[in-house]
Amino acid sequence: MVKFTINHAFFLTCFGVQTSFSTDPCEFGVLCLALEKHNELRSLHSDTPCMTMTAELNQDAQSWADTASQDYNAHLGYMQSVDKHQGENVAFYWKPWNNVDEEAWIRESIEEVTQNWYNEGANYVYETGRSAGRHFAQVVWDESVKLGVGWALSDCDEWANCKRIVIVARYLEKGNYGWSRDPELSQFVVHIQVVFFLKFHVKRVEFSGQI
């Protein structure tokens, strides 16, 4: 298995992570691409720690990816992650399978999926916690500091000469919960931190009131 040594430069911009971690290599092969992208995006937000990848969460994510690859509707319940008190993001991609470089497509999908999840937050309103894509919320949730990723490839059920990949991400602590119309009660307002260029322009609402 290839060991990806993640560029430590952006790690230094993450909050709450010891400097010694910034030079440690990721030892989980192609899954390191997902870890790198999560931390790259989290580093855009103030007071948001970097994530580390764990073998246990990778195993849980892989188990669920294997299940979902054989039963597309299985992921809709995602009860396994609930039972384990884990956060979860899931994505499926389909591709016509004619002269496709399988390894390249897998790498490309793993690199792109986190960015796609993050893009769901394009219209998120930081002061109220509204319009947050659920995948976005989990990617940047400040208490989610452990990550696991798994993927599985299967034939498409609907079409010939087609492959489907499912990518599962698992998180601890679990994020993406406690949304409320009342900003003073919304966990989204508390745990999704503003991006740096908005930091001095957004009036945040905390439990103690407006600041």
Side-chain angles (χ1 to χ4, degrees):
M1 178 179 291
V2 177
K3 292 185 179 181
F4 289 78
T5 300
I6 297 178
N7 184 346
H8 68 273
F10 72 80
F11 275 112
L12 299 179
T13 69
C14 293
F15 287 79
V17 177
Q18 295 182 357
T19 304
S20 60
F21 172 71
S22 66
T23 57
D24 288 346
C26 173
E27 299 184 349
F28 297 104
V30 70
L31 303 182
C32 297
L33 297 172
L35 175 65
E36 178 176 348
K37 194 64 177 179
H38 273 78
N39 284 336
E40 176 187 335
L41 296 170
R42 289 169 69 87
S43 72
L44 301 175
H45 294 254
S46 64
D47 306 313
T48 303
C50 282
M51 290 179 164
T52 58
M53 181 167 277
T54 74
E56 181 178 359
L57 283 175
N58 282 346
Q59 183 177 0
D60 288 344
Q62 185 60 55
S63 175
W64 198 237
D66 291 338
T67 298
S69 70
Q70 301 303 316
D71 180 1
Y72 174 71
N73 293 319
H75 77 286
L76 298 176
Y78 52 87
M79 291 305 297
Q80 187 186 62
S81 63
V82 173
D83 291 342
K84 291 177 175 288
H85 305 290
Q86 297 170 355
E88 180 179 82
N89 280 343
V90 180
F92 287 83
Y93 295 122
W94 288 260
K95 192 176 187 68
W97 209 249
N98 296 312
N99 300 318
V100 174
D101 184 331
E102 180 176 313
E103 181 178 352
W105 186 54
I106 292 169
R107 290 173 60 93
E108 176 185 315
S109 299
I110 291 174
E111 286 182 305
E112 287 184 357
V113 67
T114 306
Q115 184 68 58
N116 290 339
W117 289 334
Y118 183 83
N119 290 346
E120 293 180 12
N123 296 317
Y124 179 64
V125 183
Y126 288 88
E127 61 266 42
T128 64
R130 296 187 179 181
S131 300
R134 295 287 179 164
H135 296 105
F136 161 78
Q138 181 59 87
V139 168
V140 300
W141 201 266
D142 62 2
E143 289 189 335
S144 300
V145 294
K146 294 182 180 180
L147 174 69
V149 177
W151 61 271
L153 201 64
S154 62
D155 293 328
C156 300
D157 298 328
E158 302 87 353
W159 307 287
N161 298 320
C162 170
K163 291 287 187 180
R164 178 176 64 204
I165 187 171
V166 55
I167 301 171
V168 176
R170 289 289 180 83
Y171 304 86
L172 283 176
E173 298 293 325
K174 179 181 179 180
N176 184 19
Y177 69 88
W179 183 85
S180 172
R181 292 183 182 275
D182 183 348
E184 295 191 11
L185 300 177
S186 176
Q187 293 299 303
F188 280 56
V189 172
V190 174
H191 293 295
I192 299 178
Q193 307 301 327
V194 296
V195 295
F196 280 111
F197 71 85
L198 290 176
K199 186 173 183 180
F200 300 104
H201 302 284
V202 174
K203 182 179 288 187
R204 296 297 304 276
V205 179
E206 306 293 351
F207 287 130
S208 58
Q210 289 191 337
I211 57 173

